[in-house]
Amino acid sequence: MTLRCLVVDNDAFSRTTVAAALNGQHFDVVATVGTVPEAMAVDATSIDVAVLDLDLGGGPNGVDLAHALRRVSPNIGIVLLTTFSDPRLFAASIKELPASSTYVVKQSLVDIRILTTAIEASYQNIQSETAVELPRIPLSDTQIETLRLVAYGLSNSEIARVRVVSQKTVETSIKRAAKALNIDPSPSANQRVALVRAFFALTGPTLHTHLHR
Amino acid sequence: MLGKTLREHVGGRWAISWLYYLINFPLVVFNAVHNSTNNPNGSFSAWLAIGLMGYLCFGLVFVLANFTLFRHRRVKPVPITWVICLGILAGSSRWLVVTLLPNEWGFSNEGPDKIAIAVLTGAILGGVFVPLTALIFSVIATYLNLRSTLVGELTALHRSTLQNIEATKVLRMAIMDEATSQIVNAASARALSHDLWEDKEKQRRLHLGWFRILHTALLRNPYQGAAVSIIWSISVIRGLTVAIGFPLALTQVICSGILIFIIYKIASRFTFVTNRGRIFSFCAVMLLTVIVTGPLASLIFDERGIGEAWDLILFNSIWLPLLTIWVSLFSSAIRTPELILQDLKERIRAEEVAAQASSDQRREIQREVAESLHDMASRIHTSKSLTGAELNIDFGDLLDPPQDLDSPTEIINKTLDAWASIMSLEVHMDLGACDSQGAVQIRRVVQEGLANSYRHGNATSCKVLVNFQGDQVDVNVSDNGVGLPTNFTPGLGSVILESICGENWSLTNSPSGGCTLTATVSLEH
């Protein structure tokens, strides 16, 4: 059967490209929208699978939207298509992904079949209640959160204040994160900058618009 | 350098006396044995007593001299002539005692001429030995003073080098750590620099052992053949004169002296590569000398034969090696300190170069650190301005592009609409005279409140109140969710709220369930 898809991405180029690619792969893209209200305006019962970007500009994010869609139509397949190598990188604490959703990192899309397989899997497994398999980078929640704040531009003392921990803990967290990301201390390079670069490499290029949300 | 100090420092020292006692005691005993066996009059103990009296007489002269002539020896050097005179006095009085007393006691019957020869011999021996011993000790003392000064200097240099290296290491580490920002404010920067300047170097003393001078004295010493043979000749002539008569004794001494001189001259021409070779040659030369002056000389010159002359042979065999070592020490006391001091000076020069190099490196690192600290300070300043309300720099402006095109209401409604599509919202909004800039801030507060309610509170409906109060806007977001967890910890949202509202915000559980965000956005820019 031909699966009916909804593509939600706040980046116009991204959503039209994805929609065109899916139409060429025997999918029926019912709607291509850029915002949450537009997505909620689409009749959810007419959709089999929603392909959502995690980052949907201000307001609710992709995971919030996925939950809202599931509430309207419990059998809808959810595919999260995002630049974030690990959903924990997107926000400090996002809601858990709805059951059986699929998480696809944009950078890994070397072939459109990766996306089509993910869409099909998210629809076929809808009844199976399988746990969502999420990509995980080798960093703890604490380290990710600390790195986010480093990228945010905070000093260690500020991070310590925000996270209600000691400054020493922040230093340790940063050191461990650097070790996990193979950023060795070197007198010729600023480790903090290297860390932030690594962080943005993992989040994709769009994070700067999300830092303040 | 040593030549000058040598002239200045020659003087009476206690050491002269005790060295004399040390070297001469075996001879006193030997003489007692010799005299008691050769002479029917007088027992061994009587001869020993006579010997000891002479021995004490010699020593007494020096003890007295130490309290009188040499009283100021530590402050003012004693002239060498005094020392020579004292040596003559001590030597002659000693020999006078040991030759006159046996005559008085009837143990021997030596004529006045022999007593005069004995006193003369003693005077010569004393006049030669005492100043030489004084010289040795002066040289050694001077050397030790200089050495300790130089070693102190070297140690200081070495320490400063180590200190520099240590400091460089610390600085390097500081740079590493700086990357992970251990310095967060001026106070910690000061603390770090304080650590850097603190002297962390442990007290280290360079080791330069005694063995070195002894080693050099014994092994690197070019044998002083002439000195040994002359001194030996003087000391031995008296014994030989008694035994075989003066002309024969003089001939033997001269011939033996020449032979010893030749032996040492030949030995000193050898170039010995290894220490073992040096020791071997030293022992060989010593043995050869003993044979030449002892048994061989007796066979040739002493008419009495080896059986009768054994005591003289023994005397020569003991005395000569001792004398050789003594002369070796004397010459090396002058030569080796020069070598060692030279060596120390070279090491000091090397250390100076090392210290200079490491201090250059440290300066470079310090400049690096200074720059880093500067960057750090400005970054601390910036981040403080971004998150603290005190400097009133709007963090939002840096991240949010200005939204001039939208009206204040549109700006907020855009976010509200998005949330309204997934949860029910009840909105009461009075923006009054609020401008776009204020609206952006209000939008962000509302976004925080709604996101928190939806994501963490699982809320399905929210109430948003926005009230314009002239110079500020009160924002209130309450929901029907599960409320705050007991182990609630502030996250990034708190930072954002704080950057907008400063201290004027709170997140509490409502009495009716769910939670309420109350915040006040100031409109003063």
Side-chain angles (χ1 to χ4, degrees), chain B residues 286-308:
Chain B
M286 199 79 87
L287 189 69
L288 202 60
T289 320
V290 167
I291 292 168
V292 164
T293 55
L296 200 62
S298 293
L299 271 179
I300 298 169
F301 299 100
D302 207 332
E303 290 162 342
R304 295 173 298 168
I306 295 176
E308 276 181 77

Side-chain angles (χ1 to χ4, degrees), chain B residues 122-169:
Chain B
I124 293 169
L125 284 174
V128 172
F129 270 96
V130 170
L132 280 182
T133 315
L135 270 173
I136 290 178
F137 276 87
S138 300
V139 167
I140 290 175
T142 311
Y143 157 70
L144 286 178
N145 283 342
L146 282 172
R147 175 176 162 275
S148 74
T149 313
L150 284 176
V151 167
E153 200 179 318
L154 187 61
T155 308
L157 274 169
H158 190 64
R159 189 181 301 149
S160 78
T161 309
L162 289 175
Q163 212 166 303
N164 281 336
I165 292 167
E166 193 75 15
T168 308
K169 252 192 255 166

Side-chain angles (χ1 to χ4, degrees), chain B residues 436-477:
Chain B
S436 299
Q437 248 178 321
V440 169
Q441 306 283 39
I442 296 163
R443 184 192 70 75
R444 290 172 62 203
V445 174
V446 169
Q447 161 69 18
E448 274 312 309
L450 290 174
N452 185 57
S453 298
Y454 185 82
R455 289 168 195 161
H456 305 298
N458 285 326
T460 52
S461 78
C462 274
K463 200 171 171 181
V464 180
L465 301 173
V466 179
N467 274 319
F468 180 69
Q469 300 282 353
D471 58 348
Q472 64 182 46
V473 174
D474 292 339
V475 180
N476 187 298
V477 179

Side-chain angles (χ1 to χ4, degrees), chain B residues 89-153:
Chain B
L89 182 70
S92 55
S93 60
R94 187 248 181 197
W95 284 82
L96 187 65
V97 166
V98 297
T99 45
L100 208 58
L101 271 184
N103 269 359
E104 293 297 314
W105 292 355
F107 293 164
S108 66
N109 188 21
E110 298 193 33
D113 54 336
K114 290 212 172 144
I115 293 174
I117 289 174
V119 171
L120 190 64
T121 314
I124 293 169
L125 284 174
V128 172
F129 270 96
V130 170
L132 280 182
T133 315
L135 270 173
I136 290 178
F137 276 87
S138 300
V139 167
I140 290 175
T142 311
Y143 157 70
L144 286 178
N145 283 342
L146 282 172
R147 175 176 162 275
S148 74
T149 313
L150 284 176
V151 167
E153 200 179 318

Side-chain angles (χ1 to χ4, degrees), chain B residues 182-258:
Chain B
Q182 79 178 61
I183 303 163
V184 291
N185 54 29
S188 57
R190 266 197 300 277
L192 178 71
S193 68
H194 179 74
D195 279 354
L196 292 179
W197 287 108
E198 212 175 359
D199 183 13
K200 286 184 174 168
E201 179 52 31
K202 289 183 192 75
Q203 291 288 319
R204 274 175 227 186
R205 184 112 186 131
L206 291 178
H207 182 71
L208 197 73
W210 263 102
F211 73 93
R212 192 153 177 176
I213 186 168
L214 284 175
H215 176 267
T216 334
L218 288 173
L219 300 180
R220 295 181 65 180
N221 177 41
Y223 306 112
Q224 301 298 299
V228 171
S229 46
I230 289 165
I231 295 168
W232 170 80
S233 306
I234 296 164
S235 76
V236 92
I237 197 164
R238 149 83 191 160
L240 283 172
T241 307
V242 172
I244 56 175
F246 185 74
L248 214 54
L250 193 64
T251 320
Q252 183 189 336
V253 163
I254 290 169
C255 290
S256 298
I258 291 167

Side-chain angles (χ1 to χ4, degrees), chain B residues 300-419:
Chain B
I300 298 169
F301 299 100
D302 207 332
E303 290 162 342
R304 295 173 298 168
I306 295 176
E308 276 181 77
W310 69 268
D311 50 349
L312 269 178
I313 293 170
L314 188 68
F315 175 81
N316 290 341
S317 307
I318 295 170
W319 186 220
L320 208 71
L322 274 176
L323 199 66
T324 309
I325 291 171
W326 188 84
V327 172
S328 297
L329 274 172
F330 172 69
S331 64
S332 63
I334 296 171
R335 283 180 185 232
T336 52
E338 290 278 21
L339 291 174
I340 292 172
L341 295 180
Q342 188 70 28
D343 180 43
L344 277 174
K345 278 184 182 165
E346 275 163 22
R347 283 170 67 182
I348 283 172
R349 269 196 291 280
E351 282 290 346
E352 269 169 358
V353 172
Q356 186 58 40
S358 63
S359 88
D360 284 352
Q361 198 183 358
R362 187 172 68 167
R363 266 199 291 282
E364 198 178 310
I365 302 274
Q366 265 168 335
R367 277 197 290 272
E368 257 179 68
V369 167
E371 281 174 25
S372 306
L373 283 174
H374 185 264
D375 291 353
M376 183 68 56
S378 46
R379 212 180 65 224
I380 291 164
H381 180 76
T382 312
S383 82
K384 203 172 184 183
S385 341
L386 291 178
T387 52
E390 55 202 72
L391 286 164
N392 221 2
I393 293 173
D394 186 5
F395 192 26
D397 281 353
L398 298 172
L399 300 168
D400 266 340
Q403 302 182 2
D404 294 335
L405 296 173
D406 292 338
S407 72
T409 319
E410 279 170 344
I411 291 167
I412 298 169
N413 276 344
K414 215 169 166 183
T415 296
L416 287 175
D417 288 349
W419 285 105

Side-chain angles (χ1 to χ4, degrees), chain B residues 166-179:
Chain B
E166 193 75 15
T168 308
K169 252 192 255 166
V170 174
L171 282 166
R172 280 235 177 270
M173 265 157 51
I175 288 174
M176 307 293 177
D177 284 0
E178 182 272 329

Side-chain angles (χ1 to χ4, degrees), chain B residues 448-449 452-453 457 463 475-486 488 494 497 503-519:
Chain B
E448 274 312 309
N452 185 57
S453 298
K463 200 171 171 181
V475 180
N476 187 298
V477 179
S478 54
D479 63 45
N480 65 343
V482 296
L484 292 173
T486 47
F488 171 73
S494 314
L497 288 170
E503 298 292 314
N504 304 320
W505 67 276
S506 67
L507 191 61
T508 52
N509 279 328
S510 319
S512 55
C515 76
T516 303
L517 168 71
T518 315

